[in-house]
Amino acid sequence: MGVTYKYFGAPDGATAARVPISMRPEELGGDELGMGGMFTKIKPETIAAMVLTGIQGMPLHKVPPLELVVLHPDYAVVKLPMTVVDPLRGIGEESVGAAAFIWSTVPDRGGPQDAFNVYQLLHEWQDFSHRLHEAGHQPYCLVWP
C-alpha cells in the first residue's frame, strides 16, 4: 500500500494542523484548506532535495530539515521550507530540464528515475509554487502511513 503524501498550502501552522483526522486521502478534494493540493508518493524530503540540489545547487547535506507541525497516530503534518518552492517560480524551461536530468541520475530505492517523469513532477511543483505564492500560503505535507 505505501505512504500517501498530500501537499497543500496554508497561511500558518495552526491552520495546517486542523486537517481532518477522520478523512482518508481519497476523500480529500484538495480544497479543504482553501488551496488546491497535490497527491503524490514522493516524500517531502525528496522534493526538498530535488529542488535545492538540482535547481539551487545546494549541497545535499545543507538541505534544511522539515518542521513537524502535528504528529498523530494516524497521520503527520510537516512544513516544508519556503526555499523548496520559491526557487521554482522564477526559473525557465532550461533550468527545469537541467534539474530533471540531474535528479534523474540520483538513484533511489527503485533505481534512477526517468528524466521526463522528473521534469513533469517539477512542472507540477512549479504550478503549485505559483498557487502558494498567489494565496500567500506556506507549503505543508499531510502524511498517512
Side-chain angles (χ1 to χ4, degrees):
M1 176 125 171
V3 176
T4 300
Y5 303 98
K6 164 76 191 283
Y7 293 92
F8 64 94
D12 53 50
T15 304
R18 289 195 297 267
V19 174
I21 63 170
S22 63
M23 300 182 90
R24 299 305 301 161
E26 60 274 5
E27 296 170 336
L28 293 172
D31 291 324
E32 69 282 355
L33 293 171
M35 177 93 224
M38 297 189 323
F39 288 113
T40 183
K41 294 289 185 185
I42 299 184
K43 298 190 293 187
E45 304 91 310
T46 302
I47 291 294
M50 188 183 301
V51 171
L52 294 175
T53 61
I55 293 172
Q56 293 293 96
M58 183 181 289
L60 196 55
H61 69 279
K62 297 254 187 205
V63 172
L66 305 175
E67 178 185 324
L68 183 64
V69 176
V70 174
L71 181 58
H72 185 275
D74 296 329
Y75 68 92
V77 175
V78 296
K79 178 182 176 188
L80 285 80
M82 286 304 288
T83 54
V84 173
V85 291
D86 282 348
L88 291 168
R89 284 200 326 274
I91 63 170
E93 285 297 308
E94 287 183 17
S95 296
V96 173
F101 175 75
I102 291 166
W103 195 258
S104 73
T105 64
V106 177
D108 60 20
R109 282 182 283 180
Q113 294 290 315
D114 177 81
F116 184 70
N117 291 340
V118 177
Y119 174 80
Q120 288 179 309
L121 174 74
L122 286 173
H123 266 291
E124 288 175 29
W125 271 87
Q126 198 170 35
D127 292 342
F128 184 57
S129 175
H130 284 289
R131 292 194 311 265
L132 284 173
H133 181 70
E134 290 165 10
H137 286 177
Q138 299 170 20
Y140 292 89
C141 183
L142 176 58
V143 182
W144 278 276

